[in-house]
Amino acid sequence: MSVLQILTKEEEKSFNVAPKFDSFAKNYFFKLNSDIIEIISEMRSDSNKILFILMYGYFKVSNRFFEIKEDDENYLYIANRNNFNSFDFQEISSRTIQRYKQIIRSHFNILEFNEITESKLQHHTAELANNFIHRKKIFYSLVDYSKKLNIEVPSYSVLSNIIGTALNSQTNSILNALKQYKNDERLQLLDEFTNKSKSYKNRYNIGSYKKLGHSTTKKQMVSSLVQLETIKSKFTISKPIIDEVGITDRIAGYYSKWLEQSKITQLTQKDLLNSRFMLLSFIKYQYYIRNDNFIDRFISIIQTTKNSLFRHQKELSFKYEPLKKALTQSLEDSNLSIINDVNAILENNKIHDSNKVSQLKEIIASKTQNLKTLLTQKSDIEEQDLNRFDFLEKSSKSLQGKLSGVIKLIEFDKKSSNKNLINAIQYFKDTNTIKQNVPLEFLDEEEKLAVYDSEGKIRVSLYKALLFIHISDGIKSGILNLKYSYKYKSFEEYLIPKDEYQAKKYELLEYYDLTHLEDLKKFIVPISKKLESSFKVTNEKIINELNFHFKLTNNSFILSTPKLEKTDQQLEHTISKYFPQAEFISVIDLLHSVHQQTNFLDCFKHYSLQNTRIKNLDENLLYASIVGYGCNISLSKMSKISKGISENELDTATTWYFSEDNTTEANDKILAFTDNLEISKILRNNKKINHTSSDGQKFNIKSSIDSTNAGYSFKYFGTAKGVSVYTFIDESHKLFYSTVINVNERESGYVIDGLIHNNVVKSDIHSTDTHGFSEVIFGITHLLGFSFAPRIKNFKDQQLYGINTPKYYAQKGYQLVPKRKINLEIIKDNWDDILRFILTIKSRKTTASQLLKRLTSYSKHHKLYTAIKEFGKIIKTDFLLTYIDNLELRQRIEKQLNKVEASNKFSKAVFFGNNAEFIFASQEEQNIANNCKRLIQNAVILWNYLYINKKLQLASSQTQKDEIIEALKNSSIVHWSHINFYGTYDFTKIDKKVLSMIS
């Protein structure tokens, strides 16, 4: 059996060698407290003392012991610091070293690695392996987990064996369980996928199922339905086997994607059991993902219909509004004329009463004819002005052709869904003819009246259209859920199971450092005190007229935030003049030079986790793929404009080596390197606090591309479709997270995803604009340990809330008082569910955005949503009061949001190909392209930092250094005028001069 490669040779060597310290780290890690001083005072020689201190310092930082050599660079530092002389490790026995290890472990309360702790690591590894985390990530996760468990970090070989065992056992148990079904007829039905297609020569049936459809045309919908029907029939037959052998969602997803990328021979060359296992995984994943895909398309079609209805009513209103106004005026004038004429006759004493009657009759006859003419005109206008039900009825035929088959095939979760909707759906599935006794309970009162015509007959087309709309709305609102789905399950299914939570509650809170949340009574006390203090401080400054930027008005207030104006001298000292002026640097050379510093290409691993025989890919193919994706150049075009690159090679590279995880990890590697540069911290307002921000940027989708992840927004795209790229940035301009979402989605749901994404860039305070703000986000960010500081549009319209009643604050003479008292009982009653929700986010069982999508769907019905929102009102109120009181905070928020807005220009410059329109349909490929764009941006930012850092090193005087630092502070490291993103890409030679400019 081949040894599983976990780390590269260089990484393995680095792991086994004692850490290197700078002067600050040496002072900290080799600093001795009184207990250690007492221990070493009893040692017989300086050699023993030096060795012990070295072991102590290295263990302090790593929870590990290393082989210490006599040429250790820290020997002289320790000897000089403690006035030691002799140094000879040969005289120290292995027994003494073992005793020292025990003393050090005991001092730090660290347990020795043993069978009990090994089983914990094995269990943790199995969980990670089952989630198909890459083996390198598992390795470093085990190192961190060992520290969290307060155990000595095992050796490289021990950790490698644990990971190897977990990865091998991952599928072995399933294959063993499958053996009993070896000759089962149900499995033989799967062989249909490996047969050749009757429609296409030399194409296999499985090839038709590798790509999802995104089009909403009737032809494409029907074609996709045929595929779904095939997948459903096979899933239904094989589901008992899938459940019995234990093919989880994660396992199904991993092996299905492997099959999607593979050639048919890679499947048929496997033994029969392995082949069947992969096909079962394929069936399960495809059924789930196709259900989601159809619902995405279903919702998109209904939204298009709603938009058409809105435009129709708006156009008719615009067209007939002048006529309606004129007609209304004519009717008013006619009625007034009748009254005036009648009144004139009645009050005219010169006319005899008998004549009055005849004159009145003449007037009424004349005016009645006039009224009839006006009413006829009114009727004509109303006939033209079709109401929404008429419009929907006319649209119904098109909707039925696209959507009827979807409803009949999709399986809805009856237990967690609205009974009225389920009854109507079941009726629709069971009958071919809509009759008078159709279920109507899901309709509102107006709709119930509208579905019957004047003769009392059911308007079948209208009924179906309304059913389709209610199904779409029900899925979006969470009252209608799918039985087999990744995106549209009931909210409860996304959470940590209740029984697991109850059994492991304290263990989970401890593992995720959330034990301080367990007791609400203790947790809420300092929060309440802080809110009361904010009310007092903010109001006292207003009363004493010390807040110069706050002014009360009759019904509200005005809060101004002066801009941070730069002086003429500051404007003169900008960083741009220090960058290359007379030459352009190729983006390929830049990526190469950054790789030499960071080794970010190591993150592009082959999709197959267990295959140890696959060699690393040629670097040039990776560079070409990054530029092709990141600059939005189609891969076929990339191969044509590149020297030394073929299209087939490029296709292999992007198919097997590029994924969301790989491209994200590569970004993180560059970010980690940047974060360790001291120069990158110059731009921070406070070196100990990292202020981050996020914002959405709109991109069109190419008109020829159908994508369920794209949406309409007339404001941004006119009649075309597009997406929103939601990106996070910190004060040092590191772009640490980004995702592509539908333009119609609320950005606030993705704030948490970015904040908990990784440990490379940790946010202390985070700002968004109004789109990223909600009271729920205030609550969740606080519980997760982040400060949330958004810029809120119409800030003065935000409501304040108090721990006490509004009367309580008014009696204190406060001018800013809460709208109402916080309902602490709701928070208390649902605190356990809030903890389960937060732990689910921390455990990454489900993304925060997915949880929030489903939770906010239930907003009017879900107690958990209400409770989190109520808690968020406390945090929001405290922020609002601080925001009013603190000018510097307001200015910092503006400054940080300006950074993310400015980075959007950089984004467009990099993503220049195809008119900066996304050319990929699936969200996964859109995210890969977006991550590659961000990778190029982060590489440019790092290169710029290193270039300026070298300028500082070569500066001839301290004055010159100060000028460069001042220029950096007064501007931005984000400059790209010296980078060439365009032209022909030459991979046959690398300009080494570019690396020498920064190293």
Side-chain angles (χ1 to χ4, degrees), residues 331-347 360 363-364 367 371:
L331 285 168
E332 288 177 1
D333 292 345
S334 180
N335 290 330
L336 187 60
S337 174
I338 292 172
I339 294 170
N340 289 336
D341 288 350
V342 168
N343 192 50
I345 292 170
L346 292 174
E347 292 184 358
L360 285 173
I363 289 172
I364 290 171
K367 298 295 183 182
L371 277 172

Side-chain angles (χ1 to χ4, degrees), residues 87-99:
F87 184 71
D88 182 9
F89 287 168
Q90 301 298 323
E91 63 184 52
I92 304 174
S93 67
S94 59
R95 186 174 178 180
T96 299
I97 292 173
Q98 289 302 317
R99 183 165 60 86

Side-chain angles (χ1 to χ4, degrees), residues 771-880:
H771 296 292
F773 143 76
S774 74
E775 287 163 339
V776 167
I777 298 299
F778 266 110
I780 295 171
T781 49
H782 188 87
L783 293 168
L784 290 170
F786 303 102
S787 292
F788 188 46
R791 176 179 64 193
I792 304 173
K793 192 177 180 181
N794 298 324
F795 176 85
K796 61 185 180 181
D797 296 331
Q798 292 296 317
Q799 300 293 341
L800 301 175
Y801 301 88
I803 298 298
N804 297 294
T805 63
K807 185 178 178 181
Y808 169 85
Y809 299 95
Q811 288 174 343
K812 289 178 172 288
Y814 291 170
Q815 294 180 337
L816 289 176
V817 297
K819 179 185 178 182
R820 67 166 174 82
K821 182 181 177 181
I822 289 291
N823 188 340
L824 290 173
E825 286 302 310
I826 291 178
I827 301 170
K828 179 183 175 183
D829 292 344
N830 294 278
W831 190 245
D832 223 36
D833 285 333
I834 291 175
L835 292 184
R836 184 160 72 111
F837 179 82
I838 295 298
L839 284 168
T840 301
I841 292 175
K842 290 286 280 187
S843 68
R844 303 182 190 228
K845 179 181 184 295
T846 311
T847 63
S849 55
Q850 182 64 51
L851 279 171
L852 286 167
K853 273 184 205 174
R854 301 312 283 162
L855 179 62
T856 51
S857 298
Y858 293 93
S859 57
K860 294 179 181 178
H861 315 279
H862 211 291
K863 290 181 179 179
L864 176 59
Y865 177 90
T866 307
I868 296 175
K869 186 175 182 179
E870 195 69 10
F871 176 76
K873 287 175 180 176
I874 303 175
I875 310 304
K876 183 193 82 167
T877 301
D878 185 57
F879 165 72
L880 293 177

Side-chain angles (χ1 to χ4, degrees), residues 427 433-440 451-452 455-460:
Y427 177 89
T433 307
I434 301 295
K435 298 177 181 178
Q436 293 292 104
N437 61 339
V438 293
L440 299 174
V451 292
Y452 290 101
E455 296 177 2
K457 292 181 180 179
I458 190 78
R459 296 166 69 181
V460 174

Side-chain angles (χ1 to χ4, degrees), residues 19-56:
K20 294 184 177 181
F21 295 145
D22 57 23
S23 57
F24 176 82
K26 286 179 185 178
N27 182 59
Y28 175 77
F29 289 110
F30 293 128
K31 186 178 182 180
L32 310 178
N33 60 29
S34 57
D35 292 338
I36 296 298
I37 291 172
E38 186 177 340
I39 290 168
I40 64 171
S41 66
E42 298 177 0
M43 294 180 180
R44 59 177 184 164
S45 71
D46 286 352
S47 294
N48 289 66
K49 294 175 182 178
I50 291 171
L51 176 63
F52 182 87
I53 294 171
L54 283 170
M55 291 171 64
Y56 166 84

Side-chain angles (χ1 to χ4, degrees), residues 355-618:
N355 291 334
K356 285 183 180 179
V357 172
S358 61
Q359 287 187 25
L360 285 173
K361 285 180 178 180
E362 288 176 11
I363 289 172
I364 290 171
S366 172
K367 298 295 183 182
T368 300
Q369 185 59 44
N370 188 35
L371 277 172
K372 281 182 179 179
T373 303
L374 291 172
L375 290 171
T376 300
Q377 291 176 5
K378 180 176 181 289
S379 179
D380 290 341
I381 291 173
E382 288 176 345
E383 202 171 302
Q384 295 294 325
D385 187 9
L386 297 174
N387 64 34
R388 67 187 178 99
F389 296 117
D390 296 327
F391 181 87
L392 290 174
E393 191 170 35
K394 288 194 172 186
S395 305
S396 182
K397 188 175 180 180
S398 172
L399 293 176
Q400 290 175 55
K402 296 176 181 179
L403 304 180
S404 294
V406 178
I407 296 175
K408 289 182 181 292
L409 269 182
I410 295 288
E411 296 179 78
F412 294 95
D413 184 9
K414 295 179 181 179
K415 291 182 180 179
S416 65
S417 298
N418 179 275
K419 290 181 180 178
N420 293 332
L421 259 178
I422 288 292
N423 289 339
I425 291 168
Q426 196 59 50
Y427 177 89
F428 186 87
K429 287 184 175 187
D430 294 341
T431 183
N432 292 322
T433 307
I434 301 295
K435 298 177 181 178
Q436 293 292 104
N437 61 339
V438 293
L440 299 174
E441 291 79 7
F442 70 95
L443 299 173
D444 63 34
E445 293 306 314
E446 187 184 6
E447 291 168 342
K448 286 177 182 177
L449 293 173
V451 292
Y452 290 101
D453 62 20
S454 57
E455 296 177 2
K457 292 181 180 179
I458 190 78
R459 296 166 69 181
V460 174
S461 292
L462 175 60
Y463 178 84
K464 289 181 178 180
L466 289 171
L467 176 61
F468 298 155
I469 290 171
H470 278 273
I471 288 172
S472 176
D473 292 346
I475 291 169
K476 286 162 65 177
S477 69
I479 64 169
L480 184 62
N481 304 302
L482 271 61
K483 191 173 181 180
Y484 303 107
S485 167
Y486 294 122
K487 292 172 65 175
Y488 299 108
K489 296 184 291 186
S490 67
F491 175 69
E492 183 65 29
E493 289 196 50
Y494 292 103
L495 297 171
I496 295 171
K498 274 189 177 179
D499 53 351
E500 181 185 337
Y501 168 74
Q502 293 296 341
K504 298 181 178 179
K505 177 181 174 181
Y506 188 79
E507 183 183 331
L508 288 167
L509 288 171
E510 189 173 41
Y511 178 75
Y512 292 111
D513 298 321
L514 296 173
T515 51
H516 61 286
L517 299 180
E518 186 180 19
D519 188 339
L520 175 62
K521 286 184 179 179
K522 289 182 180 178
F523 176 66
I524 205 73
V525 169
I527 295 173
S528 300
K529 286 182 177 178
K530 174 70 168 58
L531 180 58
E532 292 299 285
S533 173
S534 294
F535 265 114
K536 181 180 179 182
V537 170
T538 302
N539 273 285
E540 284 182 351
K541 280 193 177 181
I542 292 170
I543 293 167
N544 295 320
E545 298 183 353
L546 296 175
N547 189 335
F548 305 115
H549 304 285
F550 180 92
K551 183 180 179 182
L552 279 171
T553 61
N554 291 333
N555 300 315
S556 185
F557 61 84
I558 297 172
L559 184 69
S560 60
T561 305
K563 291 184 179 180
L564 287 169
E565 300 291 345
K566 291 183 178 179
T567 64
D568 292 340
Q569 187 178 7
Q570 286 176 322
L571 291 170
E572 285 177 11
H573 292 290
T574 58
I575 201 70
S576 58
K577 65 182 180 182
Y578 294 101
F579 287 112
Q581 303 292 319
E583 57 185 317
F584 288 105
I585 296 165
S586 161
V587 66
I588 302 299
D589 293 333
L590 182 139
L591 288 171
H592 173 75
S593 63
V594 169
H595 169 60
Q596 296 305 307
Q597 299 287 328
T598 65
N599 295 315
F600 73 84
L601 290 185
D602 292 347
C603 301
F604 290 93
K605 300 295 183 185
H606 193 279
Y607 186 78
S608 183
L609 297 180
Q610 284 88 356
N611 195 332
T612 58
R613 293 173 296 176
I614 297 171
K615 296 179 180 179
N616 286 338
L617 200 66
D618 176 22

